[in-house]
Amino acid sequence: MIDLKNLTIKKAHEALLKGDYTSLELSSAYLEQIKKTDGDIHAYLEVYSDVLEQAKKADEIIKSGKATVLTGIPISIKDNILIKGRVASSASKILENYTATYDATVIEKLKKEGVVFMGRTNMDEFAMGGSTENSAYGPTKNPYDIERVPGGSSGGAAASVASDEALVALGSDTGGSIRQPASFCGLVGLKPTYGAVSRHGVMAMGSSLDQIGPFGKTVEDVEILFNTIKGQDTMDSTTIPNKTSEVIGSKKMKIGVPRDFLNIGGIDESVSKSFEESLEKLKNLGHEIIDIELPNLKYSLAVYYVIVPAEVSSNMARFDGMRFGERLSGKDGIEDYFLSRQVGLGREVKRRIILGTYVLSSGYYDAYYNKANIVRELITNDYRKAFEKVDVIITPTTPGPAFKIGEKSGDPLKMYLEDIFTVPINLAGVPAISIPFGFKEIGDKKLPLGIQFIAKHGGEETLFAISKNLLGQ
Ligand code: GLN
């Protein structure tokens, strides 16, 4: 029996090299686990039928002595990232039968390493949501309590790793979609610097905010994946060269706490408690905790929910039943278009298209979209100023632990408030990591909590260093 619960990339790699087990045996163990638990969890929309063939190929590479650390490692992929020849639906009905015609850049890179793709994971439709309840194919359940959501939009990705149905996963994060599910499922999740990872081949949601990023049980697993997928790409002109800002490493750090922003209310007691405990621990480790001000962050949600719908309404235009998506037939082309979108798209997606079209319309463009962009600049400046004083900023990842399925799905504003700590980071384009820290106990259930470290552009190394230090990894 392979101990999947405590398995990491490096441990698996060493075992594969030593011949303790083959990639075929490792992948079979994960398939076995999927068979056992995914009926309840529903992390996957599809488990690939060729997992074992992929594993056999990985075994050949290992035998030939050409293995890298990722060869033969089972990974799950969020359903909005393209793998050539496989279905990619973004958990939408409109793309139910869409087969990708090319590999996303991140997939190309992973294929070169010889990873094993286990399957595509469930998500909120087109990555819009924070619970996976907006999937057209039914929600994913939280492995810590199946009455609760795993978070979203990359809820399937998080649940697949947390329930040992994959060793690691790739997701995407536009306003928190990696960090929030990582926090709800007791995992490490990274939202890289905007432009650090190519977006070529990920279905666009908010193009000025989207980033692909990794999930893992340890900081090191996330670091290995990030270092594999990052890099400039001619297919995505927003990518930046692989240049990290000063590596702060194991140095004692100055850690900023935005007290005002944290006092806005609505934060669960358990979250405040574990957050204060993390500060205490950091102090004991010799780091300096400094109060900082980020005065414009209180506008983040308002700004985000103007900019995102605006970009969504443009990006979703291609799903019209003609260029992309299932085409339904009405009496003429216009009716085809309306029918295809009416039937093919879910409520949240439609809500954002309507809102986005409104804020971009000629009479309101200045009042909403332009205004939001100005305030976005102020938020970015707040971070810039703060990083003149501190090496990293710390906040909770979410205001509370995983909530119950159905608890917020009827009230979009309540759901949007979930993103309070995660969206400002995407607006500023800086990197952030969520790491597991503490639990909230409810009855016999232990719900994981997360804290978030934020660094300046290109500061991923700093995030890894401080996270490892705090977790003792
Ligand atoms: N929950 C946020 C939203 O609904 C974030 C989504 C994401 O990061 N893709 O927009």
Side-chain angles (χ1 to χ4, degrees), residues 244-400:
T244 49
S245 62
E246 179 207 357
V247 178
I248 294 164
S250 58
K251 221 177 66 185
K252 297 302 171 214
M253 295 196 201
K254 290 196 167 107
I255 301 174
V257 183
R259 281 284 169 202
D260 285 356
F261 183 52
L262 298 179
N263 288 338
I264 46 170
I267 298 173
D268 194 276
E269 220 178 283
S270 63
V271 171
S272 307
K273 189 163 163 274
S274 90
F275 180 67
E276 294 305 328
E277 279 166 15
S278 74
L279 297 185
E280 211 41 50
K281 197 160 172 204
L282 287 163
K283 256 190 247 164
N284 292 339
L285 289 164
H287 302 289
E288 193 185 340
I289 308 291
I290 300 171
D291 278 359
I292 55 163
E293 277 174 25
L294 299 166
N296 292 293
L297 260 67
K298 56 179 176 289
Y299 305 120
S300 303
L301 274 180
V303 168
Y304 177 86
Y305 279 101
V306 171
I307 291 179
V308 161
E311 295 187 4
V312 159
S313 74
S314 316
N315 278 326
M316 293 301 295
R318 73 196 66 163
F319 302 105
D320 54 8
M322 284 163 241
R323 284 169 294 175
F324 290 98
E326 207 75 53
R327 180 174 189 154
L328 298 181
S329 296
K331 64 175 182 332
D332 53 25
I334 294 288
E335 211 179 272
D336 290 2
Y337 173 84
F338 279 114
L339 260 180
S340 305
R341 282 166 79 85
Q342 246 164 41
V343 176
L345 300 175
R347 285 174 70 87
E348 183 61 24
V349 173
K350 284 180 194 155
R351 180 180 294 124
R352 293 193 193 198
I353 292 173
I354 293 168
L355 207 61
T357 310
Y358 179 77
V359 300
L360 288 177
S361 60
S362 63
Y364 295 101
Y365 185 89
D366 276 333
Y368 294 112
Y369 189 66
N370 274 351
K371 193 60 127 329
N373 271 320
I374 291 165
V375 182
R376 180 179 191 174
E377 199 47 44
L378 295 176
I379 292 167
T380 309
N381 261 327
D382 279 357
Y383 281 111
R384 209 173 287 145
K385 273 193 221 136
F387 285 125
E388 285 168 10
K389 283 205 292 203
V390 298
D391 303 310
V392 16
I393 297 170
I394 185 171
T395 71
T397 309
T398 59

Side-chain angles (χ1 to χ4, degrees), residues 21 49-50 56 65 92 100 172 218 231 248 262 287 331 361 365 384-385 408 416 421 435 459:
Y21 44 78
S49 56
D50 65 342
K56 275 185 209 153
S92 180
S172 66
T218 62
I248 294 164
L262 298 179
H287 302 289
K331 64 175 182 332
S361 60
Y365 185 89
R384 209 173 287 145
K385 273 193 221 136
K408 300 191 186 205
Y416 296 172
F421 296 130
I435 59 171

Side-chain angles (χ1 to χ4, degrees), residues 78 80 123-131 134 152-154 172-181 191 205-206 209-211 301 304-305 308-309 312 348 352 415-416 418-419 422-423 426:
K78 187 175 180 179
N80 61 350
M123 55 186 281
D124 287 296
E125 184 179 10
F126 287 107
M128 299 174 210
S131 67
N134 295 338
S153 65
S154 316
S172 66
D173 189 315
T174 304
S177 276
I178 292 175
R179 290 158 287 155
Q180 185 246 25
K191 197 293 280 184
M205 174 183 161
L209 305 136
D210 298 340
Q211 270 293 283
L301 274 180
Y304 177 86
Y305 279 101
V308 161
V312 159
E348 183 61 24
R352 293 193 193 198
M415 190 73 90
Y416 296 172
E418 267 299 298
D419 305 331
T422 47
V423 298
N426 300 69

Side-chain angles (χ1 to χ4, degrees), residues 6 20 56 108-109 117 125 205 218 378 414 429 456:
N6 296 304
D20 290 348
K56 275 185 209 153
E108 242 173 53
K109 291 186 179 205
F117 297 105
E125 184 179 10
M205 174 183 161
T218 62
L378 295 176
K414 236 188 195 171
K456 59 177 138 186

Side-chain angles (χ1 to χ4, degrees), residues 43 46 70 83 113 151 156 166 213 246 265 284 307 342 400 404 410 417 449:
E46 180 188 354
L70 283 173
I83 308 182
E113 306 293 316
E246 179 207 357
N284 292 339
I307 291 179
Q342 246 164 41
K404 288 240 167 94
L417 282 170
L449 303 171

